[in-house]
Amino acid sequence: MKVSKRNRPSLLLVTNPDNGFPEEDLKVAEGLSGSFNVAIVRPAEATDRLKNADLCLIRNAWPMRDFNADFSRLGEEARRLRKPVYNPFHRTGHIEDKSYLVDLTRQGYPVIPTAFNAAALRKPATGRYVIKPSDGCSSSGVRIINNPPPETPGHIVQPFFELTEEVSYFFIDKRFVYALRTEGDRWEDLRWYEPAEEEIEWAQRFVAWNAMPYGLQRIDAGRTKDGKLWLMEIEDMRPYLSLECLTENQSINVIECLGRSLENMLK
């Protein structure tokens, strides 16, 4: 339901319009404009604008490493002013880099085995390993090699898995909303997917582990030839929604779910 502009709460939508995919955040801003007075701001502007806002929504402000100082300032100011930020800066999983994948491996979760060096892993059947920067995003800095060095500071190491498909499960406030899958290039062949109930329960295990009090998170999984799912990543900071892969009605539903979650934070 639309609210008169005068009575709408003010929402800062923090993004990087130079990330190459500005359309998604423009669509989110438009969809939320019936309930909020939305101002799109860059990370460097957000701290100074926060005092005049009711709520801050962090969206596609990546690459993350470029804005660490900006978000550190924003987090401090949000705590000082007691302003709600979405997603929250602090959660149980505290996923600031990929080292949490090592913790999940040690705890026996169905995650692609991850360690800080190859010696801690069983040698993969393929003989190949994947080395990823701990603070990397997407495939930036990823290398596939046969003989990893004994030490890989600032990186994690995984065995190379042959995957038949990748699936992303999206949750808002711990509730499953939708899923997308691809058998090809992750960012060019995504399509709507109706997962079985046991798959949703599988993804829900990681949502429960992360124990984020509210917000949007994406559970990225890979499926091997035997049909088994393996966690690839929990994206809980500013997950890309891939709205361009949805129908208009599906996209509207996702944004409406996000809007209701934001409204609940102000009650």
Side-chain angles (χ1 to χ4, degrees):
M1 185 178 78
K2 289 194 175 183
V3 182
S4 68
K5 188 170 183 178
R6 180 178 299 175
N7 296 325
R8 293 174 200 161
S10 56
L11 171 69
L12 284 186
L13 194 159
V14 184
T15 187
N16 172 23
D18 301 321
N19 60 25
F21 300 90
E23 295 83 7
E24 176 166 291
D25 285 335
L26 293 173
K27 192 175 187 68
V28 169
E30 180 183 6
L32 295 176
S33 63
S35 301
F36 299 90
N37 290 325
V38 182
I40 299 177
V41 300
R42 295 175 180 268
E45 305 167 328
T47 299
D48 293 336
R49 299 281 296 274
L50 186 63
K51 61 180 177 295
N52 295 320
D54 296 303
L55 177 66
C56 178
L57 169 63
I58 301 174
R59 285 305 306 136
N60 294 318
W62 36 262
M64 185 178 70
R65 65 171 67 91
D66 291 352
F67 305 111
N68 284 336
D70 296 320
F71 283 115
S72 178
R73 289 179 58 231
L74 179 61
E76 292 175 3
E77 185 70 355
R79 287 188 291 272
R80 187 183 74 82
L81 297 175
R82 297 186 178 181
K83 293 292 180 76
V85 177
Y86 194 107
N87 280 349
F89 279 107
H90 298 287
R91 55 269 188 211
T92 301
H94 198 67
I95 301 171
E96 304 296 347
D97 58 37
K98 296 186 188 302
S99 62
Y100 72 93
L101 294 171
V102 179
D103 296 334
L104 285 168
T105 298
R106 291 169 176 168
Q107 293 168 26
Y109 280 82
V111 56
I112 292 178
T114 309
F116 292 118
N117 59 74
L121 297 172
R122 180 184 302 176
K123 187 173 181 179
T126 61
R128 292 183 287 174
Y129 296 83
V130 181
I131 297 181
K132 302 178 180 179
S134 291
D135 64 349
C137 63
S138 189
S139 58
S140 176
V142 174
R143 292 180 291 151
I144 300 175
I145 59 177
N146 292 325
N147 298 299
E151 300 295 331
T152 52
H155 292 71
I156 57 168
V157 183
Q158 298 174 322
F160 178 81
F161 272 32
E162 294 280 0
L163 301 175
T164 60
E165 67 176 5
E166 296 181 23
V167 187
S168 291
Y169 306 88
F170 294 79
F171 292 80
I172 293 178
D173 296 346
K174 305 178 185 178
R175 183 176 69 86
F176 173 74
V177 180
Y178 67 109
L180 297 169
R181 68 184 287 270
T182 179
E183 296 176 355
D185 186 280
R186 173 165 182 76
W187 300 114
E188 295 182 7
D189 193 33
L190 279 171
R191 56 192 179 277
W192 186 265
Y193 176 59
E194 296 286 352
E197 188 61 35
E198 56 265 28
E199 286 188 48
I200 298 174
E201 292 173 356
W202 180 93
Q204 190 79 51
R205 291 181 61 188
F206 297 102
V207 174
W209 173 84
N210 198 21
M212 193 167 66
Y214 59 84
L216 168 68
Q217 51 190 313
R218 192 186 72 216
I219 308 300
D220 292 336
R223 196 188 307 273
T224 46
K225 292 180 180 179
D226 58 4
K228 187 172 182 179
L229 286 171
W230 299 88
L231 178 76
M232 300 172 64
E233 183 178 15
I234 301 174
E235 177 53 77
D236 76 341
M237 296 188 71
R238 55 212 72 164
Y240 189 66
L241 302 174
S242 298
L243 295 180
E244 73 279 4
C245 300
L246 310 184
T247 66
E248 186 64 19
N249 285 339
Q250 290 166 345
S251 178
I252 289 172
N253 178 64
V254 171
I255 296 173
E256 286 180 346
C257 288
L258 175 60
R260 287 193 293 270
S261 178
L262 290 164
E263 290 172 354
N264 287 338
M265 293 180 61
L266 298 175
K267 291 181 179 178

